[in-house]
Amino acid sequence: MTACAIEPTAADEDGTPQAGCTITADGAYAARLTLDGDSWFPERWTMDGPEPYAVPLPGNQPEEPGTEVQPMADGRVLIRRFADGRHNFSLLYPTGPGTGELLLGAVECPDEGTRLWLLPPAPGGEKAYALAVGRRTSAVWLVAGGAFGPEHLAEIPGRCSGGVWLDRTGRMLALDREVGGCTKAIVVDLERGGEVSPLLQIAAGSDDRLLLADPDSGLLLIASDAPSPGRPRLGWGVMGSTLPVRFPESLRLPECTVTPFAIQPGQVLMPESCAVALCIDGPLGSWVGVWRPDGRQVHHLAAPVGWLAGSGLWTRDGVLRLPYATDEVPCGVAELTAPAETRRAIGNGGTAGDAGPGDPDRGGTAAGETPGAASDSGTGGPSEPDPPESVVDAGPSEPVAARPVPLGKAPLGRLVTK
């Protein structure tokens, strides 16, 4: 079974290769570390042409399995190599039959307890960032796109993890910070010296992590144990909204691990209409789930054979693009169309979608829960997931009523609009 990757890890310590592949924010390029016999080497994929194709970028010697790679907007590939306490960064590019390499510099980590890994690709794709986590503080580094090599941007008290971009300019970065035994998502303003402000504080003692964010709609996908202490659950909210975070029962799948990995962009002021792609790990393997906040159903779809699990992106038109590699097709992209939602009014005998922002049963808080942590309880308990079904084009979805979200008046609005 191939497990879905929740976040990049500093794999140089344990030699575990990075799962899946990394895709630029615009979906034009991807990069991964792959095998040639027993040797690891970087590979760049071009995904925005008529047919996807891969370009191998081998160096003078095989790479270590913990090496990280990340595609840039110009088609070059950033590589991070670890040796002798130094993280060395270079840009790789094809030069005829060989591989060109532009050395960028290194970040030293003299403290053996410090771990460093690349943050997700930044919007625009011209810059790349890394997070170094020490025993008591965390640092954000600009490792590609600067004027003079790696540049230290911010020092943050506490141990951070994760990494989600909140805007289209690469200014606002969300991190999950552990302080005092609790983990809370924070916002780091990279244009104001790393100024920190809170993002998620659902309950005083809960662990609240940000998994995904869509700057267009403001939709946030989170993991928190606020509704069930000690057991993280998937929830969703809207950036800057004063309404409670919701924890749908449909996202609780017994004996499965559910990891959101892509949100449909372009749904401005319509967060509840965004399609969310889920990587579902179960006893029989990994498959794809598609879910929307305005529905209570996860659609289970068979992943393409050879899917680089946990990798993919949505188009604005609602097509999910999943990279895969097999012996017959070493570089492929499968396109899945999200199933049409069946949305019937409550009381008409159909399945009811979640209430809209203006409906009375959304604004309340479930009994025994703290403000800001509401639970979407369906009839009965968590349902068993249906087996993955064959992918078919279900045709256009039924119209979804757009409800404007007052992002401009939200407490966090100023952080993502400047």
Side-chain angles (χ1 to χ4, degrees):
M1 179 177 69
T2 302
C4 302
I6 297 178
E7 66 179 45
T9 60
D12 39 58
E13 286 92 347
D14 56 20
T16 303
Q18 190 176 353
C21 69
T22 304
I23 306 174
T24 55
D26 63 0
Y29 294 102
R32 67 170 183 151
L33 206 64
T34 188
L35 274 173
D36 180 11
D38 295 329
S39 301
W40 293 95
F41 69 93
E43 186 177 71
R44 186 200 71 191
W45 289 26
T46 299
M47 299 176 60
D48 61 348
E51 294 288 340
Y53 65 92
V55 176
L57 296 171
N60 296 326
Q61 61 186 29
E63 305 293 347
E64 295 295 325
T67 300
E68 284 187 293
V69 292
Q70 186 173 118
M72 307 294 290
D74 59 5
R76 294 183 293 181
V77 172
L78 175 69
I79 187 168
R80 178 191 66 85
R81 301 183 178 102
F82 180 76
D84 300 326
R86 293 165 56 92
H87 298 268
N88 302 286
F89 297 92
S90 298
L91 287 172
L92 306 178
Y93 53 94
T95 56
T99 300
E101 181 170 348
L102 175 63
L103 302 178
L104 298 178
V107 175
E108 292 192 36
C109 297
D111 187 344
E112 294 183 358
T114 299
R115 302 180 66 195
L116 182 146
W117 62 89
L118 293 175
L119 288 167
E126 298 176 354
K127 297 180 179 181
Y129 300 83
L131 181 67
V133 181
R135 297 178 181 178
R136 296 181 179 85
T137 63
S138 302
V140 178
W141 287 81
L142 173 65
V143 295
F148 306 103
E151 178 184 347
H152 181 273
L153 298 181
E155 194 78 19
I156 305 161
R159 295 177 57 84
C160 293
S161 59
V164 176
W165 297 101
L166 298 178
D167 61 352
R168 294 293 185 192
T169 66
R171 172 179 175 176
M172 295 297 175
L173 173 67
L175 296 172
D176 303 326
R177 179 173 65 172
E178 180 185 351
V179 175
C182 291
T183 300
K184 302 290 184 183
I186 60 172
V187 180
V188 181
D189 189 336
L190 297 182
E191 290 189 7
R192 300 189 64 175
E195 181 180 274
V196 173
S197 56
L199 179 64
L200 292 176
Q201 296 198 26
I202 300 176
S206 61
D207 291 326
D208 311 321
R209 295 178 170 85
L210 180 64
L211 304 179
L212 287 178
D214 174 55
D216 295 334
S217 63
L219 178 63
L220 305 178
L221 270 293
I222 71 168
S224 174
D225 62 357
S228 53
R231 299 194 305 274
R233 289 183 56 181
L234 287 180
W236 69 278
V238 178
M239 188 152 38
S241 175
T242 58
L243 296 177
V245 171
R246 311 298 293 186
F247 294 91
E249 290 289 340
S250 58
L251 294 180
R252 301 178 67 186
L253 304 182
E255 299 183 3
C256 294
T257 300
V258 182
T259 307
F261 65 91
I263 300 178
Q264 180 184 1
Q267 310 301 299
V268 179
L269 300 181
M270 299 171 59
E272 297 186 349
S273 298
C274 293
V276 178
L278 311 169
C279 179
I280 304 175
D281 286 324
L284 300 180
S286 299
W287 63 92
V288 179
V290 176
W291 170 86
R292 288 185 175 90
D294 62 4
R296 289 188 176 179
Q297 182 179 4
V298 174
H299 297 274
H300 299 269
L301 306 176
V305 175
W307 177 39
L308 305 180
S311 303
L313 77 158
W314 288 100
T315 67
R316 291 175 177 264
D317 297 328
V319 176
L320 181 61
R321 309 193 75 213
L322 301 175
Y324 69 94
T326 65
D327 292 338
E328 295 76 19
V329 183
C331 175
V333 176
E335 295 189 344
L336 311 185
T337 302
E341 293 285 350
T342 301
R343 304 179 70 244
R344 301 176 183 175
I346 297 176
N348 289 345
T351 301
D354 292 348
D359 294 332
D361 57 340
R362 174 173 298 284
T365 300
E369 295 178 351
T370 56
S375 175
D376 284 345
S377 297
T379 57
S383 58
E384 293 286 344
D386 296 327
E389 57 191 24
S390 299
V391 179
V392 296
D393 186 343
S397 302
E398 296 181 18
V400 177
R403 287 182 173 273
V405 179
L407 297 177
K409 299 180 181 178
L412 294 178
R414 63 180 181 84
L415 297 179
V416 296
T417 56
K418 290 185 178 180

